[in-house]
Amino acid sequence: MATWANLGLQDSSSPLMEQLNFFHDHTLLILTMITILVGYIMGMLMFNKFTNRFLLHGQTIEIIWTVLPAIILMFIAFPSLRLLYLMDEINTPSITLKSIGHQWYWSYEYSDFLNLEFDSYMIPTNELETNGFRLLDVDNRVVLPMNNQVRILVTATDVLHSWTVPSLGVKVDATPGRLNQINFLINRPGLFFGQCSEICGANHSFMPIVIESIPMNFFIKWITSMTNSLDDWK
């Protein structure tokens, strides 16, 4: 999750977010070099009292400053396109989770199991425990196994929402009447926080997302206990 004075991206918790971090650093390096070069040239033009009369026109330099930016853009475009295709790639998922956006909470369905679904509301500040995170903690967390391919199906029932977890590199629009999907893998255990990233009404700020990543054997125990508790409730 984001911390105080955090100027960069969050630490990656999935291979996809790791690649996004690398691409960010790669692009930032190119932009830094361009900024230094252009700043140096502008400084020389402003403070230099001499004029080179042979540089008033010249086809060679014009070809260079036309072709060079195109080559630099290719160094940005090709890694970007590779990442775009990787983000849309759906590998063989071990588990499927359906996320449904409402005003203003999320509901989840584990499609691989019968009748395993629940709503997830933000915990109000006056009910929050001392070790809780204000505006980020929920009453029912999404529990997913680590080191397994997870497919998320995202939709909404009323208005546009956006299911977003920055540390996993996941951001999917929840559109009424449409089912969007994305695939990711969580490579470490822990709690991962996100929020709705599409303005969806008065309480848009109060529908957080919390994912709890656990090993597969603990996930099976959790699924068993959840299924038994739902059966007892019915």
Side-chain angles (χ1 to χ4, degrees), residues 201-222:
N203 292 331
H204 158 68
S205 305
F206 309 119
M207 47 184 303
I209 302 155
V210 181
I211 294 179
E212 184 175 352
S213 172
I214 57 177
M216 178 56 85
N217 55 338
F218 290 106
F219 177 74
I220 294 172
K221 293 179 182 178
W222 179 82

Side-chain angles (χ1 to χ4, degrees), residues 6-19:
N6 188 4
L7 298 179
L9 300 173
Q10 295 185 22
D11 292 338
S12 62
S13 302
S14 69
L16 184 60
M17 187 60 194
E18 189 174 345
Q19 292 296 315

Side-chain angles (χ1 to χ4, degrees), residues 62-194:
E62 289 176 1
I63 291 173
I64 290 174
W65 70 42
T66 301
V67 174
L68 194 61
I71 296 174
I72 293 173
L73 284 175
M74 288 174 61
F75 276 97
I76 297 176
F78 287 136
S80 175
L81 288 172
R82 170 181 167 272
L83 263 178
L84 283 174
Y85 280 102
L86 278 176
M87 290 171 72
D88 278 339
E89 186 73 26
I90 300 298
N91 301 310
T92 306
S94 301
I95 185 170
T96 300
L97 175 71
K98 186 176 181 181
S99 174
I100 306 169
H102 307 269
Q103 286 183 314
W104 287 272
Y105 65 96
W106 296 98
S107 59
Y108 298 98
E109 300 175 5
Y110 286 79
S111 307
D112 302 303
F113 307 95
L114 292 175
N115 301 321
L116 182 51
E117 55 187 62
F118 54 85
D119 297 330
S120 180
Y121 289 87
M122 185 194 76
I123 301 176
T125 305
N126 57 347
E127 299 177 12
L128 201 62
E129 297 181 3
T130 53
N131 60 348
F133 295 102
R134 179 178 172 270
L135 301 183
L136 285 178
D137 260 322
V138 296
D139 54 357
N140 291 312
R141 296 170 177 169
V142 177
V143 180
L144 293 173
M146 59 179 285
N147 292 327
N148 283 271
Q149 290 290 339
V150 179
R151 175 173 58 187
I152 304 288
L153 305 176
V154 184
T155 187
T157 58
D158 35 45
V159 297
L160 289 175
H161 300 278
S162 184
W163 199 84
T164 306
V165 183
S167 59
L168 299 179
V170 175
K171 186 177 189 295
V172 193
D173 284 341
T175 309
R178 182 183 177 91
L179 204 62
N180 295 324
Q181 71 173 355
I182 196 166
N183 197 83
F184 62 86
L185 181 145
I186 307 174
N187 56 16
R188 62 189 176 96
L191 292 177
F192 308 108
F193 296 87

